[in-house]
């Protein structure tokens, strides 16, 4: 019985040691979205389009168009804005995934997690700031 206990203990120690030697880190994706040059650029693009749509609606109101026409126009512009937002988000996330892969390979990381899905992570495993620098250098905008 004691041999089994020692064998299991040795096995658990070996497993925990192998995981400790792996390079596992995490990145705060939300911070990258809101703080990166590409994220700020994408958000500014969406805000500019929303402003243009609002101005178009105001022009129609001043021109005296009927409320039902203005409502239909506003709904159409809202749909367009939502579609644009979805496309921009998809492009951004695709670019972000590519950048994370490049970054991880260059650093030799085996696993990169999103900070917002972690229950706990040692602060020294947070590479958000380093990744943000990398991302800003390589991807100032999303194409």
């Amino acid at each position: 019985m004691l041999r089994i206990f020692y064998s299991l203990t040795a096995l658990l120690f070996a497993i925990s040691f192998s995981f400790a030697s792996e390079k596992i880190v995490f990145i705060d994706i939300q911070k990258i979205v809101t703080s990166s040059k590409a994220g700020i650029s994408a958000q500014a693009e969406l805000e500019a389009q929303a402003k243009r749509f609002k101005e178009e609606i105001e022009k129609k109101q001043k021109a005296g168009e009927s409320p039902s026409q203005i409502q239909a126009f506003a709904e159409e512009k809202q749909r367009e804005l939502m579609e644009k937002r979805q496309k921009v988000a998809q492009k951004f996330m695709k670019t972000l995934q590519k950048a994370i892969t490049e970054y991880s390979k260059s650093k030799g990381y085996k696993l990169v997690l999103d900070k917002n899905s972690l229950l706990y992570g040692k602060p020294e495993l947070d590479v958000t700031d380093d990744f943000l620098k990398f991302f800003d250098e390589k991807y100032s905008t999303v194409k």
Side-chain angles (χ1 to χ4, degrees):
M1 182 72 159
L2 197 54
R3 282 169 70 189
I4 293 172
F5 174 74
Y6 286 128
S7 296
L8 285 174
T9 303
L11 179 64
L12 288 174
F13 179 75
I15 290 171
S16 66
F17 181 74
S18 70
F19 279 123
S21 67
E22 295 295 325
K23 291 187 171 186
I24 299 172
V25 296
F26 60 90
I27 296 172
D28 185 346
I29 299 299
Q30 189 61 39
K31 182 176 179 179
I32 303 302
V33 170
T34 59
S35 302
S36 67
K37 291 176 184 177
I40 292 168
S41 173
Q43 186 62 33
E45 180 183 337
L46 292 171
E47 288 173 4
Q49 187 164 11
K51 184 179 176 183
R52 284 191 303 274
F53 287 167
K54 182 179 177 189
E55 290 169 354
E56 288 178 36
I57 293 167
E58 289 172 354
K59 278 184 187 177
K60 289 186 176 292
Q61 287 173 332
K62 288 179 183 175
E65 287 192 29
S66 74
S68 61
Q69 286 177 319
I70 293 171
Q71 178 68 27
F73 181 77
E75 288 173 4
E76 177 187 333
K77 293 301 176 185
Q78 184 66 26
R79 264 191 311 279
E80 286 179 29
L81 189 60
M82 287 181 71
E83 288 173 7
K84 174 79 171 181
R85 186 176 306 272
Q86 197 171 33
K87 286 178 183 176
V88 168
Q90 287 173 345
K91 283 166 93 176
F92 184 86
M93 292 311 290
K94 186 176 180 181
T95 301
L96 183 59
Q97 182 62 48
K98 180 181 176 188
I100 290 171
T101 300
E102 287 176 29
Y103 176 78
S104 299
K105 286 180 180 179
S106 73
K107 299 289 186 174
Y109 296 142
K110 305 284 185 203
L111 180 66
V112 178
L113 303 169
D114 180 4
K115 180 180 181 178
N116 297 314
S117 64
L118 291 177
L119 296 176
Y120 172 76
K122 289 184 177 183
E124 59 267 20
L125 298 176
D126 186 346
V127 296
T128 303
D129 293 333
D130 189 47
F131 175 74
L132 181 59
K133 290 175 193 169
F134 172 87
F135 190 61
D136 279 347
E137 287 173 8
K138 297 232 176 202
Y139 303 93
S140 59
T141 60
V142 175
K143 297 168 177 85

